[in-house]
Every structure is written in C-alpha cells, then in structure tokens.
C-alpha cells in the first residue's frame, strides 16, 4: 500500500480550499469498472479443473448402487470405495504446493488434468474391486492437485474488485460436476449393470483432455512470475488482468514489495536472492509462525474443516440412501430426487458468485451456516419421525426432501464458495501455495472420514441422529466464524496480513486499517478524500 499512499498523499493532504478549484465531475464517485474479460476467461479455464472432483462425487452417489450389485461388495467396502478418493487427494494437494512453486501454477493445472485422465480410464476399465481402488488412487491424486491449484491461480490473477466473484468459480464447477455426475447416473442407469457404472466413471476422462488443452492458452500467475524475477512477463499479465493501467502498476508494486524486490528495479528479468521454490515455508507456517500467520492458518484450516464436517458430502454422496430412508423406494424416483439436489446446488452457487463482492464474506458465511444449522436439525427430526412410524407419513417425507434441498442451497450460497475464496486470499504470497495445500488436505481428510463412515454412523446412532450431530457441528462452526473471521472484501492480497494477528481483537485492527485508508491513503470504497471532505462533497 506504500505506492498508493504516495500516489494519493498529495491529494489527501491538501487544504479544504483546494476543493473550490475542482469541477463537479471531480467529486463524482468513480464508476464501477467493467469486469475484466481476460481475467474472467482465465478464472473459468483454471476453475474447470474443479469439475473433476464434482463429477466424481456426483457420479459415485449413483454408481455405487450398481457397483455393489455387479461386484457383490459389502456396505463397508462401498463406503470405503466412495470416500477413499478424498484420502488419496492428500498426496496431490500436498505435492501441488511445491510443484506449483517449482513449475508454475499453469503447468500444475495441466499436470492435474493428465493424472485424472489416467485415473478415470482405470476406473472405467476396472474388472474387480482391487482394480477399481487403483483407479481411485490415481484419480484422487489428480483431484488433489486440481483442488489446491485452481483457487490459488484464480486469486492471484484476479483484480481486487472481482476477486470474490472469480475465486468462487472452483465451487461453481464442483457443483456443476456434481450435477453432471447425477445426470450421468440417470442416463446410464438403463444400461446393463456391468456396463452402466463403468461408463459413468470412465466418461470423466473426456473433460480433462479439453481442460489440459485450454489451460495452455492461459498466462502464468503474475505473482509466481515475480517470485521468479520475471518482471516483464508479470507486468504484461497484470496489464491484461487489471481493471486499469494504474491498478496494474499498483499490483506489481505490491507484489514486488511482498517478494522483497526493490521498487526501483524495472528490468524485465532480475536476479531474485530470496529462495522461491518453497524452501523454509513449512517452518514459517508450522514451527515459527508470527501471530498474523498463526491466525491466518487457524482460519484457513478451520474453514476447510467445518465445510466438510457439517455433512455436505454425506448429503451429496448418499442422497439416494437418505431418500430411501425417507420412504422413496423406486430407484428411478431416488435418482430424480438426487438430480433435484444437483440442480438446486448449482443454481444457488451461481447466485452466490454475484453476492460475494457486494455483500461481503462474513455476512454470507454467517447467514449460510445459521441456515444450515436449522435445516440439518429439521432434517434429523423428520427422519427420526419417519424412522419411528409404522405408516407412511407424507408430510414428514415432504419436510425431509425440502430440508435436503434447503441445506444444499444454504451451503452453496455461502459456506461452499467462501471456503475457497477465503482460504485462497488470506495467506501471504510467500506462504500461499503451501498454506492453501494444507487447507485442501484438511478438507479432503475430513470429507474422507465423513464419506467413509456415514453408513456405519447412521446404523449406530440412527440416520436422524447423524444429522442432529451435523447440526451440532454446524453450530460450533457458526461460533468459530463469528469469533475469528475478519472481513476481507475489497482488500488486496498484499494487505491481508494486516487484518490478522489478534485472534480476539481483530475487529479493532480492522477499524484502524479502515481509518488509515480513509485518512492516510486517500481512498475509501473507490472515492477520493480531500482533507475531511469526501469526493461527493460531504463532511466526515
């Protein structure tokens, strides 16, 4: 922000009589810039990799029914098969942090697509349970890579004005993938059992080919280029992905400051003294974190944990089972009801993308989680009533279906996209790749535990009891977010560290930062400050 303070300082410290020399146009609030189409295209291409996870989640919810019939596996084997991909993701997500610092964000996305392509083919041609598990292992590594790198690249290429909108794209495509998986289930369910599930799984290889090709036309992340000393290339990328030339210059200045490159260094290629391939990052994250880094790490890992611990994968992966417990017995009706879940989830994630940069992260997140608590509790109550009734209760079935749809809608409008947006933007540049990979690892471990134990869990404490448990976890999540999470809307990535550092007193620090922006930097919400007078002429 040093560059901004210097640039606007002369304006912000002028005496108020200078106002008289300005025209009325000078005091008009600046128009909101149009969305940068190039950054928009880059975000879409990068986020497409997230469709791989979504498709796998969606398609396995229905395919597992046919796999059990064809391969004669038990419920325990089924839940392990469904959830084990999330554990295998760990390898990919941990490796992706170092890989992306080594070969760049863009080629890491290509690598992720290639790995998943191989995994999808192996699953499609699997002849037995062991072969299928090998395919899950390979696909899981590819998904781990994709989950970590897509939000990191998108956050680093996005201008601050639309970063929330663009970095929510990975969640959009996860939901789109889930919907495609559900549609694939329904489309291939009429085929012979031995062929249907293999086509459901194998067809996932097709989008990975187009993704790998599409990513090749994308530029490299400007922040990664600066970390390598390639300032000329970084400047060209920033010029294309920023709303204005001035913003591009400011972003380059702030990235250079974060990478410890002198501001007067303007060569296209410079020698970077600092180690830039991830060395020492783990020590700074885990062994000797500053208060700010510790706060960031707690928030980054915590939001990934609660996103999955609140039961979303249990609902998405086992929707047919839930609807069966609710009283829907027809396989066709169960798959249709499950498709409705996919449609609702996708529609509301699209709504969320337009609200993130308007409403802010905190209001959306807290509203979403509060609604999830209520819908999970009502879902648990309706399932418990159905479970203890000897006759078919139409009203209880209606409540059950409504609460499933309400839960996925509420999740998609806040908790789902904000997890990826928030965790990709709060880590400082030097720690971003590895910090995000830790969050993704926690996300996948938690998801794996939930998906591999849900069938056993509801048999142990009843299906209604399982959702009461998830409601309790969502309540803990609400308290956690309300207490620890600062608002990051509109903040540049290089400013984030200033918001963190005090686990309880962050609100006071945020107010101080806002005060500095108004009185010192000369800007507040896109307006110019002249002494104590705002650009629209009102006194503060």
């Amino acid at each position: 922000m040093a560059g901004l303070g210097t640039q606007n300082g002369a304006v912000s410290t002028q005496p108020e009589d200078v106002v008289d020399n300005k025209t009325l146009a000078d005091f008009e609030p600046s128009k909101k810039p149009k969305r940068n189409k190039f950054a928009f295209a880059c975000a879409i291409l990068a986020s497409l990799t997230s469709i791989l996870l979504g498709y796998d989640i969606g398609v396995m919810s229905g395919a597992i029914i046919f796999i059990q019939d064809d391969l004669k596996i038990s419920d325990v084997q089924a839940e392990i098969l469904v959830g084990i991909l999330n554990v295998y993701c760990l390898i990919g997500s941990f490796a992706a942090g170092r890989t992306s610092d080594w070969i760049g964000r863009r080629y890491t996305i290509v690598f992720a697509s290639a790995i998943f392509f191989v995994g999808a083919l192996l699953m499609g041609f699997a002849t037995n349970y062991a072969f299928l598990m090998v395919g899950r292992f390979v696909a899981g590594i590819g998904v781990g890579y994709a989950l970590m790198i897509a939000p990191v690249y998108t956050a680093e290429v996005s201008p601050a004005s639309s970063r929330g909108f663009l970095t929510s794209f990975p969640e959009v495509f996860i939901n789109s993938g889930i919907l495609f998986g559900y549609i694939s289930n329904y489309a291939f369910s009429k085929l012979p059992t031995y062929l249907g599930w293999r086509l459901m799984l194998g067809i996932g290889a097709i989008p990975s080919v187009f993704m790998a090709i599409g990513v090749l036309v994308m530029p490299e992340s400007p922040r990664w280029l600066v970390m390598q000393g390639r300032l000329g290339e970084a400047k060209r990328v920033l010029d294309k992905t920023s709303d204005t030339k001035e913003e591009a210059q400011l972003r380059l200045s702030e990235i250079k400051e974060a990478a410890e490159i002198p501001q007067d260094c303007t060569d296209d290629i410079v020698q970077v003294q600092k180690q830039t391939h991830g060395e020492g990052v783990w020590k700074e994250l885990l062994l000797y974190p500053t208060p700010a880094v510790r706060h960031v790490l707690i928030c980054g890992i915590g939001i990934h944990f609660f996103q999955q611990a609140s039961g979303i994968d249990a609902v998405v992966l086992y929707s047919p089972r839930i609807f069966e417990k609710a009283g829907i017995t027809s396989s066709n009706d169960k798959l249709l009801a499950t498709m409705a879940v996919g449609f609702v989830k996708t529609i509301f994630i699209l709504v969320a993308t337009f609200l993130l940069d308007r409403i802010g992260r905190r209001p959306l997140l807290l509203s979403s989680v509060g609604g999830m608590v209520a819908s999970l509790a009502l879902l648990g109550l309706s399932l418990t009533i159905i479970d203890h009734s000897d006759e078919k209760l139409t009203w209880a079935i209606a409540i059950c279906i409504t609460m499933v749809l309400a839960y996925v809608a509420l999740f998609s409008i806040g908790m789902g996209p904000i997890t990826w947006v928030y965790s990709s933007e709060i880590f400082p540049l030097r720690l971003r790749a590895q910090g995000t990979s830790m969050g993704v690892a926690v996300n996948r471990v938690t998801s794996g535990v939930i998906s591999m134990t849900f069938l056993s869990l509801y048999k142990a404490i009843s299906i209604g009891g399982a959702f009461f448990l998830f409601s309790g976890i969502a309540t803990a999540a609400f308290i956690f977010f309300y207490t620890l999470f600062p608002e990051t809307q509109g903040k540049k990535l290089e400013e984030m560290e200033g918001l963190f550092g005090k686990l309880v007193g962050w609100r006071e620090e945020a107010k101080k930062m806002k005060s500095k922006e108004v009185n010192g930097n000369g800007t507040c919400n896109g307006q110019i400050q002249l002494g104590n007078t705002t650009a629209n002429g009102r006194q503060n």
Side-chain angles (χ1 to χ4, degrees), residues 483-522:
T483 306
L484 298 180
F485 274 49
E487 177 60 74
T488 58
Q489 179 191 16
K491 300 295 181 186
K492 295 179 177 63
L493 295 180
E494 283 66 38
E495 292 180 298
M496 291 296 175
E497 210 166 347
L499 285 172
F500 296 85
K502 294 185 177 181
L503 292 175
V504 178
W506 60 264
R507 288 177 175 83
E508 289 73 19
E509 293 300 316
K511 288 177 182 177
K512 290 178 183 177
M513 182 178 288
K514 189 171 183 180
S515 177
K516 286 179 181 178
E517 289 177 358
V518 172
N519 299 320
N521 293 334

Side-chain angles (χ1 to χ4, degrees), residues 200-245:
M200 292 174 192
L201 298 179
I203 205 170
I206 295 175
S208 61
V209 176
F210 294 102
M211 281 182 268
I213 295 171
V215 167
L216 293 176
V217 304
M218 291 162 44
E220 184 51 83
S221 157
R223 287 176 172 81
W224 183 82
L225 291 170
V226 171
M227 288 166 66
Q228 310 310 306
R230 294 155 62 178
L231 299 185
E233 291 178 64
K235 184 179 183 302
R236 287 190 288 274
V237 175
L238 287 168
D239 285 342
K240 290 182 177 180
T241 59
S242 298
D243 293 328
T244 63
K245 293 290 184 183

Side-chain angles (χ1 to χ4, degrees), residues 55 59 179-189 199-200 203:
Y55 183 82
V59 80
L179 178 57
F180 290 146
Y182 287 158
I183 293 172
S184 177
N185 287 155
Y186 188 75
F188 294 119
S189 63
L199 283 174
M200 292 174 192
I203 205 170

Side-chain angles (χ1 to χ4, degrees), residues 231-464:
L231 299 185
E233 291 178 64
K235 184 179 183 302
R236 287 190 288 274
V237 175
L238 287 168
D239 285 342
K240 290 182 177 180
T241 59
S242 298
D243 293 328
T244 63
K245 293 290 184 183
E246 292 76 15
E247 183 190 354
Q249 293 173 0
L250 179 59
R251 288 172 70 188
L252 179 61
S253 174
E254 291 174 335
I255 298 169
K256 285 165 67 177
E257 182 180 350
E260 298 182 3
I261 296 175
Q263 294 296 332
D264 58 0
C265 187
T266 57
D267 295 338
D268 281 357
I269 298 177
V270 300
Q271 186 68 35
V272 179
Q273 300 297 326
K274 189 178 178 183
Q275 292 175 310
T276 57
H277 297 297
E279 296 88 346
V281 167
W282 294 114
K283 288 184 180 178
E284 190 172 353
L285 272 174
L286 301 176
L287 298 181
Y288 311 110
T290 63
V293 170
R294 186 182 299 113
H295 188 179
V296 165
L297 193 62
I298 290 171
C299 290
I301 290 178
I303 194 168
H304 274 287
F305 169 77
F306 281 116
Q307 186 200 49
Q308 295 301 325
S310 55
I312 185 61
D313 275 4
V315 172
V316 173
L317 282 166
Y318 297 105
S319 289
R321 299 262 185 159
I322 296 169
F323 292 133
E324 182 180 344
K325 286 288 183 180
I328 301 174
T329 54
S330 166
S331 296
N332 197 55
D333 290 344
K334 284 187 285 188
L335 290 176
L336 284 173
T338 301
M339 282 177 61
V341 171
F343 276 113
V344 169
K345 210 169 182 301
T346 304
I347 289 169
F348 277 88
I349 187 63
L350 292 172
V351 173
T353 61
F354 294 99
L355 297 178
L356 279 165
D357 288 318
R358 298 180 184 182
I359 295 178
R361 283 48 157 168
R362 267 180 66 87
L364 268 183
L365 182 62
L366 294 174
S367 301
S368 168
V369 177
M372 287 163 57
V373 171
S375 59
L376 285 167
L378 286 171
L379 177 58
L381 180 63
S382 61
L383 286 169
T384 301
I385 292 171
I386 292 170
D387 207 25
H388 288 81
S389 175
D390 295 327
E391 56 187 47
K392 189 172 182 178
L393 301 174
T394 305
W395 63 269
I397 295 173
I399 292 175
C400 177
I401 295 172
T402 303
M403 288 304 105
V404 169
L405 297 177
Y407 170 71
V408 297
L410 288 159
F411 177 90
S412 294
I413 209 166
M415 184 68 148
I418 291 174
T419 296
W420 302 104
V421 173
Y422 205 88
S423 63
S424 66
E425 67 185 2
I426 61 176
F427 284 99
L429 174 62
R430 65 191 180 279
L431 310 176
R432 186 166 299 135
Q434 284 81 359
T436 304
S437 71
M438 287 182 65
V440 172
V442 170
N443 186 292
R444 293 299 89 200
V445 167
T446 310
S447 174
V449 170
I450 296 295
S451 54
M452 287 194 292
T453 60
F454 179 70
L455 296 180
S456 301
L457 176 68
Y458 85 64
K459 287 177 181 177
I461 63 173
S462 80
I463 192 164

